[in-house]
Amino acid sequence: MPSVVLSLAFLAGSAIAQQSVWGQCGGIGYSGPTSCVSGSCCVTLNAYYAQCTPGTGCGGGGSGTTLTTKTTTTTATATPTGGGGVGSGKTRFAGVNIAGFDFGCGTDGTCNTAKVYPPVKNYPPDYNHPDGAGQMQHFYRDDNMNIFRLPVGWQYLVNNNLGGSLDSTNFGYYDQLVQACLSTGAYCIIDIHNYARWNGAIIGQGGPTNEQFADLWRQIATKYANQPRIWFGIMNEPHDVPNISTWAATVQAAVTAIRNAGATSQFISLPGNDWQSAAAFISDGSAAALSAVKNPDGSTTNLIFDVHKYLDSDNSGTHTECVTNNIDSAFAPLATWLRQNNRQAILTETGGGNTASCQTYVCQQLAYLNQNSDVYLGYVGWAAGSFDSTYELDLTPTQNGNSWTDTALAKACFAR
């Protein structure tokens, strides 16, 4: 008799077990609760991951019904920014970084161009580099991604000649990756990966002049002025910048140069201080300072705030385990500010290891952005391209003949 009572109690407990908001509730190989707490419902992100999401369609009952969202590919050209609306349930953009042209660049803005390892197959001397074009085709075709960020060192583009012209050879190789990206139908972010510096000195604050930086962007924008799906990423991860208002003036110089070069309508990313931290964007003054950056016509159309956020214990993006989804500490407060100020942001770096903890927290974070797509345009994972399986945050798919296999994290959270 006691064993029967215990069995009934166990079954009753299993029957009422419910997953919390943002927790996993389904997917291939998942064996936990499939019913969600009241006010949320189980939404399928892909075959490998579903999670309890608050809001539309739940009816307040937490019934555990799985809502399958339709996947579409964005091909529209840039449109003016706006805020205050209700999220559609899916951000406009999702993709990954295709790294390699930035290899050799340190956080002091020193770039050793001899260490560049581009994801371009015919790059000398060995002509056997990673197939960035194939990766992007796979991500676009099989995973419904529609944006790729292509980091590159400033020194590489001008062959270490500060203030000089784009080097025809080096820029030619980089342009191969850009053209491969454009050929997929995706948007392509040109990202100068120099941490607001050139060889240790901060742009506009003791280092290169604003005019030198603006001229770099003038040359790049001139090359791609007629490409509506080129996205200009002003700078990767400014940090320890002494004066944020002075930095905003540097960003303004670049924006003006891009627009005056004929790229009048494309998206431009505006990066703040503190490694572009989404959590610090308001408190460190970046939001206020960058709000003053305008197009030549005085508008802020398609000027998008550019933020980063990792999920490991020290927010460094150097560990394979994740400990937070960053929602309460970063993305919820920023969403409120963006709505109040009628602006939008994009998360151009985020990620984690191919581990269970990161699959949980990264998926929760991205689901929140999807639910707040009125202010978050999208997210771009770090990183594929020239990285391999030895890298902690590897998102590089492996190729077998004509097929590609995603990493666990890419499959669970970034594929759409």
Side-chain angles (χ1 to χ4, degrees), residues 65-141:
T65 302
T66 299
L67 305 179
T68 303
T69 57
K70 182 179 180 181
T71 301
T72 58
T73 300
T74 299
T75 56
T77 56
T79 55
T81 59
V86 177
S88 66
K90 186 169 69 173
T91 59
R92 180 176 175 183
F93 298 106
V96 297
N97 284 265
I98 307 297
F101 277 103
D102 57 311
F103 283 17
C105 289
T107 58
D108 64 349
T110 299
C111 293
N112 182 349
T113 56
K115 293 186 177 180
V116 165
Y117 189 63
V120 176
K121 291 189 72 175
N122 67 341
Y123 191 86
D126 57 23
Y127 299 94
N128 191 31
H129 283 234
D131 184 7
Q135 292 178 31
M136 289 186 286
Q137 290 167 6
H138 153 68
F139 284 133
Y140 183 86
R141 179 186 65 243

Side-chain angles (χ1 to χ4, degrees), residues 169-230:
T169 299
N170 290 0
F171 184 79
Y173 282 116
Y174 180 69
D175 184 58
Q176 285 186 32
L177 188 66
V178 175
Q179 297 302 327
C181 176
L182 289 171
S183 71
T184 66
Y187 281 68
C188 310
I189 302 175
I190 296 175
D191 159 52
I192 304 300
H193 214 76
N194 275 72
Y195 305 90
R197 291 158 168 79
W198 173 288
N199 295 346
I202 298 173
I203 305 166
Q205 301 186 51
T209 64
N210 287 353
E211 291 74 18
Q212 288 172 319
F213 186 54
D215 188 61
L216 169 72
W217 276 113
R218 177 193 63 79
Q219 294 182 66
I220 294 172
T222 299
K223 298 282 187 181
Y224 299 113
N226 296 321
Q227 291 286 355
R229 286 182 286 105
I230 286 291

Side-chain angles (χ1 to χ4, degrees), residues 8-330:
L8 290 174
F10 175 78
L11 290 172
S14 299
I16 63 173
Q18 291 185 312
Q19 183 59 276
S20 59
V21 175
W22 305 117
Q24 185 173 3
C25 55
I28 295 172
Y30 175 73
S31 59
T34 57
S35 179
C36 301
V37 296
S38 179
S40 64
C41 49
C42 191
V43 176
T44 297
L45 301 183
N46 54 55
Y48 294 85
Y49 200 87
Q51 67 183 159
C52 293
T53 303
T56 305
C58 300
S63 65
T65 302
T66 299
L67 305 179
T68 303
T69 57
K70 182 179 180 181
T71 301
T72 58
T73 300
T74 299
T75 56
T77 56
T79 55
T81 59
V86 177
S88 66
K90 186 169 69 173
T91 59
R92 180 176 175 183
F93 298 106
V96 297
N97 284 265
I98 307 297
F101 277 103
D102 57 311
F103 283 17
C105 289
T107 58
D108 64 349
T110 299
C111 293
N112 182 349
T113 56
K115 293 186 177 180
V116 165
Y117 189 63
V120 176
K121 291 189 72 175
N122 67 341
Y123 191 86
D126 57 23
Y127 299 94
N128 191 31
H129 283 234
D131 184 7
Q135 292 178 31
M136 289 186 286
Q137 290 167 6
H138 153 68
F139 284 133
Y140 183 86
R141 179 186 65 243
D142 301 329
D143 293 336
N144 293 297
M145 297 183 186
N146 60 2
I147 192 167
F148 302 106
R149 183 169 177 255
L150 314 175
V152 63
W154 183 357
Q155 287 90 332
Y156 179 80
L157 290 179
V158 297
N159 198 20
N160 294 297
N161 180 20
L162 178 61
S165 300
L166 295 172
D167 182 81
S168 59
T169 299
N170 290 0
F171 184 79
Y173 282 116
Y174 180 69
D175 184 58
Q176 285 186 32
L177 188 66
V178 175
Q179 297 302 327
C181 176
L182 289 171
S183 71
T184 66
Y187 281 68
C188 310
I189 302 175
I190 296 175
D191 159 52
I192 304 300
H193 214 76
N194 275 72
Y195 305 90
R197 291 158 168 79
W198 173 288
N199 295 346
I202 298 173
I203 305 166
Q205 301 186 51
T209 64
N210 287 353
E211 291 74 18
Q212 288 172 319
F213 186 54
D215 188 61
L216 169 72
W217 276 113
R218 177 193 63 79
Q219 294 182 66
I220 294 172
T222 299
K223 298 282 187 181
Y224 299 113
N226 296 321
Q227 291 286 355
R229 286 182 286 105
I230 286 291
W231 185 312
F232 301 102
I234 296 292
M235 178 58 62
N236 176 72
E237 295 190 346
H239 65 88
D240 301 293
V241 173
N243 190 310
I244 188 61
S245 295
T246 303
W247 171 247
T250 299
V251 174
Q252 178 67 73
V255 168
T256 301
I258 291 168
R259 295 303 192 214
N260 288 344
T264 58
S265 62
Q266 292 95 329
F267 288 113
I268 302 177
S269 297
L270 313 182
N273 204 358
D274 288 313
W275 313 89
Q276 291 177 241
S277 171
F281 188 73
I282 302 169
S283 62
D284 69 8
S286 295
L290 293 174
S291 291
V293 176
K294 301 289 196 297
N295 292 309
D297 65 2
S299 74
T300 58
T301 301
N302 291 339
L303 300 183
I304 309 300
F305 297 127
D306 192 346
V307 297
H308 291 179
K309 202 72 177 79
Y310 287 97
L311 304 92
D312 50 357
S313 57
D314 60 0
N315 190 42
S316 65
T318 60
H319 304 92
T320 57
E321 296 294 337
C322 297
V323 300
T324 178
N325 59 25
N326 292 316
I327 294 172
D328 292 339
S329 62

